[in-house]
Amino acid sequence: MTTALNTLFITVEGTRLNKEGECVVVTIQDEKKAEVPLRHLRSVVCLSRAWLTPELMESCIESGIHVSFFGVTGRFLARVEGVPGGNVLLRRQQFRAADDAARTLELARALVIGKVSNARQFILHARRDAEAAHASELSETAKRLAIHLRTLESVSDLDALRGVEGIAARDYFEAFPALLKKGGAEGFSFEGRNRRPPRDPMNALLSFGYALLLQDCAGALSGVGLDPAVGFLHEERPGRLSLALDLMEEFRAPVVDRLVFSLVNRGQLKPEDFRTEFAGAVLLRDEARKAFLVAYQTAKQAKVRHAFLEQETTWGMAPHLQALLLARTVRGELDAYPPFAMHG
Amino acid sequence: MERDTWVTLSALQHLLFCERQAALIHVERIWLEDLLTASGRLLHERVDLPGHDSRRTSRVERAVLLGSDRLRVTGRADLVEYLRDATTPSGWRPYPVEVKHGRRKLLDADRVQLCAQALCLEEMHGVEVPEGAIFSGAQHRRHEVRFDAPLRRLTEESIERMHTLLRTQSVPTAVRAPKCDGCSLEPRCLPQVTAGQKRVRDYLRQRVTVET
């Protein structure tokens, strides 16, 4: 498995990318800005309109580098991929599992356990250096999440499972204001999750982070030959990457939420880094978006221990490992799906 | 029965190393792109191989496409030398040469792959191919291989086994072994968890039974 997880983000309108030798050359307004060896790349993410030469596109497809395109508002448009990985048998097994209520429930249960377990760990971590006034509130949230985890073990149908997930998510987000620190996070607030469009800076950051994470998860699933659109926890809908949404659940808190709070609490992003449209949508300004992308890439390089595989990995590698474990579960080589778990 | 599966010569090499590795590559088609990239590179490295150049007594063919309808095996040989031999109808006798990089002792996998090439050549030319050679790049020397009855039997059995894996689309369970450490597919095979000793249910239970 490739250990280089570098993603090339294109944020400047009209950037040109072409191939010279075994390198991608980035040109902005006729000026050569960067040269990146292809073998160091895992994906190219175009967040503004960019030109890619057909020759570069061909090389990316052949070497398994995902190229994805986002609209100017950050809406995902397309991802270019070559011949699907894995084989049709794995996908058939995935579809059969998705059609089988019992297997779907077990897979969805493991996915939600991963999500809630990591949300709880994130809260516990945050409590350690939270302001004293919030410590007990955060302990209370962690306790409630622990109770939800036990409930998850016994739910007997998907609706009940989704119900517990919803309550856990509500409890979790209710703790968010307590995670914002005075000083650093001056001017930021959180009054619940909103999206499409996000209406405050915190939600704008969360939405942007989740969009990036979703693409990473979709790429990881395609890489092992699973269909990112056929999920277990998330219902299928045309155009929806249900399995990628499933897979990203366990990473929301430890990857995106943690990053968002660290940027805000350390004062690396300020309220003036956002602009509010007349209708109420809140968007990151270009510089802030760039800062977020750099921080996101850096966070992916941080080392973390995989509790089930008992090996060191990075946050960036984790979705790939989980996609692989999911494929192994679908194939029946594992007795259940082991979600990525922060800590023991 | 529909017989449309073909075994590739390279699959035999994988099969003799590890049945699961062969199945992961050829049934699950994992890492196909990386392998193709790698094989392309290797092929490139092989351009300047030593070979006989005396045209009257031999001719050298590189990257030779081979196949056997009887065994349903196909692939490419690195190099086939055709030696002048008046006892054959065409006047040539093929002599396959497999090139191995690095310095290592001859493995059954190498002999079987070479023998499979010989079986293809026998069928394609209608002549007996009694021997070939494995050329070791690092040692810069040839090891002659005789295609005797036991080697031919092992080769045909290996081809049959690979056919069975492809036909039944089965991937044998992992068996943790010392050779796993040197296997490039180890990160995708995950022998430590798929060999069956680890239970995910216990792991999940640990996740949910936390202190409230």
Side-chain angles (χ1 to χ4, degrees), chain A residues 120-133:
Chain A
R120 177 177 164 276
Q121 286 294 343
F122 172 64
I123 294 289
L124 288 175
H125 273 266
R127 188 188 55 179
R128 268 183 232 157
D129 50 13
E131 285 152 19

Side-chain angles (χ1 to χ4, degrees), chain A residues 29-48:
Chain A
Q29 289 181 343
D30 296 328
E31 199 188 324
K32 192 160 155 180
K33 290 284 186 187
E35 202 174 309
V36 188
L38 269 169
R39 66 193 160 83
H40 288 167
L41 275 186
R42 178 119 210 168
S43 58
V44 177
V45 177
C46 302
L47 292 160
S48 47

Side-chain angles (χ1 to χ4, degrees), chain A residues 79-98:
Chain A
R79 184 178 52 250
V80 181
E81 266 171 32
V83 179
N87 86 30
V88 64
L89 266 112
L90 174 64
R91 284 190 286 282
R92 287 192 67 136
Q93 281 166 322
Q94 177 190 356
F95 299 164
R96 284 194 201 105

Side-chain angles (χ1 to χ4, degrees), chain A residues 86-87 90 328 331 333, chain B residues 23-30 171:
Chain A
N87 86 30
L90 174 64
R328 294 272 163 252
R331 283 203 69 108
E333 289 193 19
Chain B
L24 287 174
I25 296 169
H26 301 278
V27 177
E28 281 206 41
R29 306 186 77 81
I30 280 175
V171 180

Side-chain angles (χ1 to χ4, degrees), chain A residues 1-2 62 85-87 89 106 110 113 117 120 143 146-147 149-150 153 223-224 306-311 324-325 328 331 333-341 343-344, chain B residues 20 24 27-31 33-34 37 168-174 184 187-190 192-194 196 198-212:
Chain A
M1 199 172 284
T2 334
E62 278 178 354
N87 86 30
L89 266 112
E106 287 321 306
I113 287 172
S117 167
R120 177 177 164 276
K143 195 181 284 185
I147 293 166
L149 278 172
R150 293 208 176 157
E153 210 183 6
V224 300
H306 196 294
F308 181 73
L309 293 176
E310 297 173 347
Q311 67 184 41
L324 184 58
L325 290 168
R328 294 272 163 252
R331 283 203 69 108
E333 289 193 19
L334 294 174
D335 58 325
Y337 170 68
F340 194 97
H343 276 258
Chain B
R20 179 170 166 88
L24 287 174
V27 177
E28 281 206 41
R29 306 186 77 81
I30 280 175
W31 268 13
E33 65 277 23
D34 304 270
T37 318
T168 58
Q169 300 277 354
S170 46
V171 180
T173 306
S184 64
R188 299 292 297 265
C189 167
L190 299 177
Q192 75 276 30
V193 297
T194 49
K198 272 201 92 141
R199 300 234 320 130
V200 184
R201 288 187 192 284
D202 299 336
Y203 170 84
L204 280 173
R205 184 160 293 256
Q206 282 171 25
R207 303 273 88 69
V208 298
T209 49
V210 289
E211 265 181 59
T212 52

Side-chain angles (χ1 to χ4, degrees), chain A residues 89-328:
Chain A
L89 266 112
L90 174 64
R91 284 190 286 282
R92 287 192 67 136
Q93 281 166 322
Q94 177 190 356
F95 299 164
R96 284 194 201 105
D99 284 340
D100 178 327
R103 292 188 69 192
T104 294
L105 175 66
E106 287 321 306
L107 282 159
R109 190 199 308 275
L111 292 160
V112 179
I113 287 172
K115 172 184 183 164
V116 178
S117 167
N118 287 345
R120 177 177 164 276
Q121 286 294 343
F122 172 64
I123 294 289
L124 288 175
H125 273 266
R127 188 188 55 179
R128 268 183 232 157
D129 50 13
E131 285 152 19
H134 295 310
S136 68
E137 184 190 342
L138 294 175
S139 298
E140 183 57 30
T141 303
K143 195 181 284 185
R144 293 174 71 90
L145 293 175
I147 293 166
H148 298 324
L149 278 172
R150 293 208 176 157
T151 313
L152 287 172
E153 210 183 6
S154 57
V155 291
S156 55
D157 65 71
L158 205 53
D159 283 342
L161 181 83
R162 287 179 179 143
V164 178
E165 186 211 3
I167 296 165
R170 198 194 59 206
D171 284 346
Y172 173 67
F173 282 125
E174 273 177 8
F176 269 30
L179 300 176
L180 287 169
K181 286 191 191 149
K182 289 201 192 81
E186 209 60 63
F188 285 92
S189 63
F190 187 84
E191 285 160 35
R193 177 89 178 106
N194 58 57
R195 56 208 183 104
R196 296 183 186 199
R199 271 148 306 206
D200 59 66
M202 285 302 288
N203 274 296
L205 288 171
L206 292 173
S207 288
F208 188 44
Y210 294 152
L212 296 172
L213 180 60
L214 180 66
Q215 290 314 309
D216 284 347
C217 288
L221 292 166
S222 303
V224 300
L226 288 166
D227 185 335
V230 178
F232 303 103
L233 176 63
H234 288 82
E235 271 173 303
E236 285 156 32
R237 266 186 232 150
R240 188 192 215 189
L241 295 171
S242 300
L243 191 64
L245 287 165
D246 285 0
L247 181 60
M248 79 183 272
E249 291 297 355
E250 63 210 77
F251 297 112
R252 284 178 192 265
V255 175
V256 176
D257 301 353
R258 190 166 59 162
L259 177 65
V260 167
F261 278 101
S262 124
L263 286 171
V264 167
N265 283 334
R266 287 183 195 162
Q268 283 166 283
L269 289 176
K270 299 280 186 199
E272 51 269 30
D273 284 319
F274 300 83
R275 61 186 174 86
T276 308
E277 291 190 335
F278 189 69
V282 173
L283 301 168
L284 279 86
R285 293 185 192 277
D286 282 354
E287 283 308 307
R289 198 168 59 154
K290 226 179 261 179
F292 187 94
L293 289 170
V294 170
Y296 180 77
Q297 285 309 103
T298 308
K300 289 206 303 191
Q301 275 146 31
K303 286 201 166 64
V304 62
R305 190 165 170 76
H306 196 294
F308 181 73
L309 293 176
E310 297 173 347
Q311 67 184 41
E312 282 269 307
T313 184
T314 59
W315 281 113
M317 207 58 218
H320 295 270
L321 288 173
Q322 292 310 120
L324 184 58
L325 290 168
L326 194 52
R328 294 272 163 252

